[in-house]
Amino acid sequence: MTGVPDISPTDTWAALEKDPNALLVDVRTDAEWNFVGVPDLSALGKQVVLIPWQVFPGMQVNGHFVEHLRKAGVTAESHVFYICRSGARSLAAGQAAQHGGFPHAYNVADGFEGPVDHEGHRGTVAGWKADKLPWRQR
């Protein structure tokens, strides 16, 4: 695979439903997981894998990201969908994963919350929440 393709949140859900070995890795920070919420994959019999791409509060890149993927059970054969707030960090994480030996990386377009709307709020225009996919407070 060359590059990390974008995939919509609804197509991500369908892929996770179809492939029992596919994983969703949320690369946001622990603060975001705790205060904004996380995708809820319980209807699929799965759990989202939480591995930050950047470490809060300094936001330095997680130098152990690829190692954390291995510890989470990701293999070279795994199809892994990376999600962040709006799709930028997840793209970088997917690229790092590919360079680290995990070729089947996909970027969830528009992320968990998507872009801001005309009132400056996220979660209403595009992304996991706007697509009405399951999520929960942590």
Side-chain angles (χ1 to χ4, degrees):
M1 176 179 290
T2 309
V4 178
D6 283 342
I7 182 169
S8 74
T10 54
D11 287 345
T12 298
W13 180 269
L16 291 166
E17 187 173 38
K18 181 180 178 184
D19 181 351
N21 298 313
L23 301 164
L24 179 65
V25 176
D26 190 327
V27 302
R28 295 174 299 146
T29 65
D30 56 349
E32 290 170 295
W33 301 327
N34 288 321
F35 297 112
V36 181
V38 294
D40 183 358
L41 306 180
S42 60
L44 303 177
K46 296 181 177 194
Q47 291 187 358
V48 64
V49 178
L50 304 175
I51 304 173
W53 172 244
Q54 293 175 298
V55 182
F56 183 81
M59 301 307 283
Q60 68 274 15
V61 171
N62 177 357
H64 301 286
F65 184 76
V66 171
E67 178 184 332
H68 291 158
L69 289 173
R70 285 189 186 94
K71 285 182 180 178
V74 178
T75 69
E77 293 77 32
S78 301
H79 288 256
V80 185
F81 300 84
Y82 297 91
I83 191 169
C84 66
R85 181 187 68 191
S86 57
R89 284 176 286 172
S90 51
L91 176 60
Q95 291 167 337
Q98 283 184 335
H99 290 293
F102 305 108
H104 307 290
Y106 306 88
N107 182 43
V108 180
D110 296 312
F112 188 66
E113 296 180 272
V116 295
D117 64 17
H118 66 282
E119 295 180 354
H121 301 137
R122 293 186 185 274
T124 62
V125 176
W128 191 272
K129 281 183 162 181
D131 284 355
K132 307 287 188 226
L133 292 168
W135 67 278
R136 63 177 175 80
Q137 291 300 137
R138 195 161 166 232

